[in-house]
Amino acid sequence: MAGLFEEATGQRLGEDRVWRIEMTLTPLCRSRNIDSLTSLASLLDQSGEDVLRGEVIDALLNNETSFFRDPSAFHHLTAMVLPQLRERRGQARKLRIWSAACSTGQEAYSLAMLFAEDRASWQGWTIDILGTDISRTAINRARSGLYSQFEVQRGLPIRRLVDWFDPVLDQGWRVRPDLASLVTFGRQNLLGPPPAGAQFDLILCRNALLYFSADRRNEVLDRLAAAIAPDGALVLGAGETPSNGDRFRADPDLLTVYRPGAAASRSN
Ligand SMILES: C[S@@+](CC[C@H](N)C(=O)[O-])C[C@H]1O[C@@H](n2cnc3c(N)ncnc32)[C@H](O)[C@@H]1O
């Protein structure tokens, strides 16, 4: 099962994470009346089980996320990256932003709040935020814009909650249409071609590359490099780096922010 998962997503379930197989697939077996994980594995070997295969892959994905996760990254965006892009794109007044591997959408909506809360600066601009993920379940949830009380409590101060969400009886909170209009969602595999269209001014790809093998991570970074504007910015998760290669260089002032192109070589 770990092999099937890695082939489909690039994510490795190393020795330290095989516990996820039992934890996440036992409930799936129960709901499908499959008597054991061994029976599930032999079913997956048969052709024509694409739906089941999709469910297994979805169940094994780690969709952990929250609003404004790693607040320092959002601070860098508001303080430096977005003002810089506003200056650089002042003529076209258009920004295209990709929240890659966005899980259930909190990251994309957090980005949208940055623009919606600074209306004066972005008056007359077209802001397109695209959230993508390989997980069908996660993207469906992101599109619904509906979050539980527990989810909104993670990262959203009460002011933002009342400004941008409407309460839904017994269900939680739904993103308001004016915020939702800034964001679209779609399914995309980071190992496949990037979303069609113009290059992105800003890409966030956080906390997904961590579990890729070095080769697969490099493949994804190549694709991100092709999808980003030469003067754009890439934001990775804390603790992730674009490793070797000359696709991206670290921003000297902003932790987790990377710029397309090779680092300037140092002379001694
Ligand atoms: C831990 S979540 C991170 C979500 C968000 N970026 C954040 O930092 O809060 C990792 C996400 O990566 C997605 N993912 C894993 N492999 C992927 C792939 N090959 N293509 C696209 N998304 C992938 C998972 O479905 C999951 O939603």
Side-chain angles (χ1 to χ4, degrees):
M1 243 119 28
L4 162 78
F5 183 60
E6 182 169 358
E7 190 184 293
T9 68
Q11 305 266 305
R12 299 180 86 179
L13 277 180
E15 294 280 296
D16 53 332
R17 290 175 76 226
V18 282
W19 57 268
R20 280 192 70 81
I21 295 184
E22 192 168 342
M23 192 189 84
T24 57
L25 297 187
T26 305
L28 178 76
C29 286
R30 222 174 282 133
S31 71
R32 288 281 216 128
N33 277 332
I34 299 168
D35 61 13
S36 66
L37 288 175
T38 317
S39 309
L40 175 64
S42 36
L43 269 174
L44 289 172
D45 284 340
Q46 297 168 21
S47 59
E49 288 292 353
D50 289 350
V51 174
L52 182 62
R53 199 166 282 120
E55 283 178 28
V56 166
I57 290 164
D58 244 42
L60 287 172
L61 287 164
N62 165 11
N63 295 129
E64 167 65 18
T65 189
S66 55
F67 289 100
F68 295 95
R69 180 178 191 177
D70 184 6
S72 66
F74 287 90
H75 174 73
H76 293 335
L77 290 176
T78 22
M80 295 287 292
V81 177
L82 295 181
Q84 217 169 51
L85 284 172
R86 194 168 57 236
E87 215 174 289
R88 290 177 179 168
R89 301 290 184 270
Q91 288 282 318
R93 298 195 144 218
K94 213 173 169 182
L95 282 187
R96 193 162 189 243
I97 299 174
W98 182 17
S99 168
C102 71
S103 185
T104 39
Q106 285 90 327
E107 182 177 89
Y109 290 124
S110 302
L111 285 165
M113 282 180 238
L114 300 185
F115 291 96
E117 289 171 357
D118 189 8
R119 237 176 256 281
S121 302
W122 300 101
Q123 194 69 41
W125 284 67
T126 304
I127 309 294
D128 287 329
I129 301 170
L130 173 66
T132 64
D133 200 280
I134 195 172
S135 163
R136 190 185 300 277
T137 322
I139 284 301
N140 285 344
R141 286 222 42 224
R143 282 198 181 114
S144 78
L146 185 62
Y147 296 98
S148 68
Q149 185 67 35
F150 174 73
E151 286 168 322
V152 295
Q153 273 166 353
R154 296 184 65 204
L156 276 186
I158 191 78
R159 181 76 258 158
R160 278 187 161 141
L161 179 62
V162 296
D163 279 353
W164 300 115
F165 293 76
D166 292 323
V168 181
L169 193 64
D170 293 335
Q171 291 186 64
W173 297 81
R174 194 186 298 279
V175 175
R176 282 184 31 188
D178 44 348
L179 190 71
S181 68
L182 299 177
V183 188
T184 50
F185 290 101
R187 275 188 81 212
Q188 192 265 352
N189 187 342
L190 288 171
L191 296 173
Q199 285 183 311
F200 292 94
D201 304 296
L202 173 64
I203 300 178
L204 279 78
C205 183
R206 303 189 309 153
N207 306 304
L209 294 180
L210 224 53
Y211 301 114
F212 282 66
S213 68
D215 284 353
R216 287 294 175 85
R217 191 179 316 133
N218 284 334
E219 249 178 69
V220 173
L221 286 162
D222 279 342
R223 293 184 186 281
L224 296 181
I228 201 166
D231 59 351
L234 167 72
V235 183
L236 297 179
E240 290 173 320
T241 61
S243 54
N244 54 358
D246 53 7
R247 310 170 199 88
F248 293 102
R249 62 196 151 81
D251 185 299
D253 302 317
L254 308 173
L255 208 65
T256 73
V257 177
Y258 296 84
R259 309 289 181 169
S265 60
R266 291 178 185 205
S267 54
N268 295 324

